[in-house]
Amino acid sequence: MKTDEKGQITVELLLLISFALITAILLANAIIDANELNIAMASARDGAFEGISSNGLAIYPKESYDNYSKDLKKQTILRQKKIKIIQINQTIKGKDNFNRTRIQLKIYASSPDVRTKEEKEAVGDRINYNVRKRITQSFKSENITNKLYNPAISNKYSFTTANVVWI
């Protein structure tokens, strides 16, 4: 009888340790996925604020500046403006060809200075570009996307952006 009691404690201990190990592995996997998504969303916010800063201060690359100054409808973009990011939403859109979860980001912004359709498109495109660029830089995946960083790619996710919604 004494040997059975000693063996039972060992079996119970092994079961407890294996249960704890399996739980830890499953929990670690969920935490890693959530952390990757949190990093991407924080990068998206940073990119959106970088986009509104450069738009708000009217800082443009020479090529963009030349294009905007030639187009009468877009000349007002070259002035300083106040832009506010209201929120950034994410929508899961299934899986891509590489089995990454596709997520579409939609940015809501407002500005009393951005009025026309052309201005909204130009400013929105710049905000979206900076969002995708920042996500790509965070995961060091610049070499596996195009020059517009579309889609922005992480290990488990593929991010695209919808047109900015102006409120």
Side-chain angles (χ1 to χ4, degrees):
M1 279 292 207
K2 289 185 179 182
T3 21
D4 288 341
E5 290 174 4
K6 287 181 182 177
Q8 181 138 5
I9 292 173
T10 306
V11 171
E12 289 172 350
L13 183 62
L14 286 174
L15 284 173
L16 184 63
I17 290 172
S18 13
F19 178 73
L21 186 61
I22 291 170
T23 304
I25 290 170
L26 292 174
L27 189 60
N29 192 30
I31 290 171
I32 289 170
D33 288 351
N35 186 46
E36 186 173 332
L37 192 54
N38 285 339
I39 290 170
M41 292 307 293
S43 299
R45 283 189 294 279
D46 288 346
F49 287 113
E50 183 179 331
I52 65 170
S53 296
S54 60
N55 275 314
L57 296 173
I59 300 170
Y60 293 98
K62 181 170 177 18
E63 183 180 327
S64 298
Y65 180 84
D66 292 343
N67 288 339
Y68 293 154
S69 56
K70 291 175 188 170
D71 188 346
L72 294 175
K73 293 180 179 179
K74 292 185 179 179
Q75 283 182 351
T76 55
I77 295 174
L78 299 175
R79 296 188 208 117
Q80 290 184 351
K81 58 200 114 343
K82 181 181 176 186
I83 304 168
K84 182 178 178 184
I85 298 294
I86 306 298
Q87 70 182 40
I88 301 174
N89 286 347
Q90 60 185 6
T91 307
I92 295 175
K93 297 287 187 177
K95 297 280 188 180
D96 68 4
N97 295 339
F98 300 101
N99 204 29
R100 290 185 182 99
T101 302
R102 291 180 343 169
I103 296 179
Q104 185 180 56
L105 302 175
K106 186 179 282 189
I107 296 143
Y108 294 82
S110 71
S111 175
D113 304 320
V114 180
R115 295 184 189 107
T116 67
K117 181 182 182 227
E118 290 82 7
E119 288 175 336
K120 289 177 181 179
E121 285 178 1
V123 173
D125 286 347
R126 191 148 188 218
I127 291 170
N128 282 337
Y129 169 81
N130 281 289
V131 165
R132 293 187 309 267
K133 179 180 176 185
R134 183 60 66 141
I135 292 170
T136 302
Q137 289 172 338
S138 293
F139 294 102
K140 301 192 181 342
S141 59
E142 297 98 330
N143 60 338
I144 56 175
T145 187
N146 59 26
K147 69 179 185 173
L148 296 176
Y149 306 104
N150 196 15
I153 297 170
S154 71
N155 294 330
K156 296 189 181 214
Y157 300 100
S158 171
F159 298 91
T160 58
T161 52
N163 290 338
V164 172
V165 178
W166 293 94
I167 300 173

